[in-house]
Amino acid sequence: MAKLKDRGMVLKRDDSFAARLDVAKPVEAPRPAEKPAPKPPAKKSAEASAPTPKPAEKPKELAQRTVVSAPITASEPKSAPDSSTTQEPRKTTEDMKATVEADRGPNVKLRVTFRCPTDLAERATACAEKARCPVSAVFRKAMGELRPQLIERIEAGIEYTEVPSERMTDASHPFDTSMMISQAAYDRLAKEIDPEAMTGIEAPMSRWARAQFLPHFDAWLSSKGH
C-alpha cells in the first residue's frame, strides 16, 4: 500500500488563492427588502366618529322647504270674535211677547157669559152630531180660534161706545168662557166702562164678547158645512 504523503503545514495565507476561491463561489440573489410591520389601527376619537354637520341653510331656503312640506288642509274656521265686539242676539217674537207681558204685570181672569140665538144653536147641534161630540165642544172650538184676537183688542184698549147696551131677545143656548188679560188692561177697562164701580165690567164685557163671537161662529159653522 502506498504511503501517504505527510501533510504540510500552511504557515502563510495565500491571498491569490483565496481570491480564486471567492470567485468560484455562486453569487447569492439579493433578498427583498422586508416591509415594515403594519401599525395597529388607531382608535377613532369621539370627534372623528361624530357626523359632520351640514352647512347652515339660508333663511330663504328654509322658508321654502317649510312651505312645501306643510300639508294641505281645509280652511280653518275663523277665530271667534272678541266678546267685547259681539252683537247681542236678536230677540224672537216670543221673547218680545214675554217682555211685553212682564211689563204689563200679572194676568187677571176676565169671565164672560152670554147666550146664542136659536138658529146658531141648531146648526151647532148638527155639527156636534156629525163630529160625535157635545154641543159645548163645538162652541169651545170656535171660541178658541177667536180668543187670541179678543185678548189683543182688549190689551190695545176699547172704548165704552164699543160695548152694546141692548140685550138679546132670542137666546137659547148659554155659553161662558174666560180670558186672561193683564192687570193694566183690566184697570183700564174698569176706568173706561165702570168708572164709579157700580156694575163691574163682566156684564158689559160679556155683551161685547157676544157681539164679536156671533159673526165669527156663523162663518165658522158655514166653513164646516152647517
Side-chain angles (χ1 to χ4, degrees):
M1 186 174 191
K3 187 177 180 180
L4 296 175
K5 187 177 181 178
D6 296 333
R7 298 180 180 181
M9 295 179 64
V10 179
L11 300 177
K12 187 177 180 180
R13 176 183 176 84
D14 189 352
D15 295 332
S16 60
F17 180 76
R20 288 196 300 272
L21 291 178
D22 293 335
V23 172
K25 291 182 180 180
V27 179
E28 296 181 359
R31 295 180 179 180
E34 295 181 358
K35 295 181 179 181
K39 296 181 180 181
K43 295 183 180 180
K44 294 183 179 181
S45 62
E47 297 179 357
S49 61
T52 305
K54 295 182 180 181
E57 298 180 351
K58 296 181 180 180
K60 184 177 181 180
E61 296 177 356
L62 183 59
Q64 292 178 354
R65 180 174 297 181
T66 305
V67 172
V68 173
S69 61
I72 300 176
T73 57
S75 59
E76 298 180 356
K78 297 181 180 180
S79 59
D82 189 4
S83 58
S84 59
T85 60
T86 304
Q87 297 181 355
E88 296 181 358
R90 300 179 63 181
K91 293 184 179 181
T92 62
T93 305
E94 295 181 357
D95 295 338
M96 296 176 66
K97 288 183 178 180
T99 304
V100 173
E101 291 179 358
D103 295 338
R104 291 174 179 174
N107 291 335
V108 180
K109 181 183 291 187
L110 175 62
R111 185 179 181 86
V112 295
T113 304
F114 55 86
R115 290 180 176 270
C116 285
T118 304
D119 60 334
L120 287 180
E122 292 175 354
R123 292 166 61 187
T125 302
C127 182
E129 291 176 356
K130 183 179 179 180
R132 299 178 182 178
C133 66
V135 180
S136 58
V138 177
F139 279 85
R140 287 195 300 270
K141 180 67 175 179
M143 187 63 181
E145 297 179 3
L146 182 63
R147 183 180 288 106
Q149 301 176 23
L150 299 180
I151 295 175
E152 185 177 356
R153 289 190 58 185
I154 293 173
E155 292 292 343
I158 60 176
E159 296 180 359
Y160 175 74
T161 55
E162 299 180 47
V163 179
S165 58
E166 68 279 2
R167 297 182 179 273
M168 291 186 63
T169 57
D170 183 12
S172 58
H173 186 82
F175 177 69
D176 65 278
T177 186
S178 60
M179 294 176 286
M180 300 299 295
I181 62 175
S182 65
Q183 183 67 52
Y186 187 90
D187 296 341
R188 187 168 56 250
L189 283 175
K191 185 180 295 186
E192 176 68 21
I193 297 173
D194 188 21
E196 299 297 332
M198 294 293 183
T199 61
I201 66 172
E202 289 189 358
M205 289 305 297
S206 294
R207 296 194 299 269
W208 177 84
R210 182 195 64 192
Q212 309 303 318
F213 175 73
L214 294 183
H216 169 76
F217 195 33
D218 182 27
W220 189 86
L221 289 173
S222 298
S223 66
K224 300 298 182 181
H226 300 284

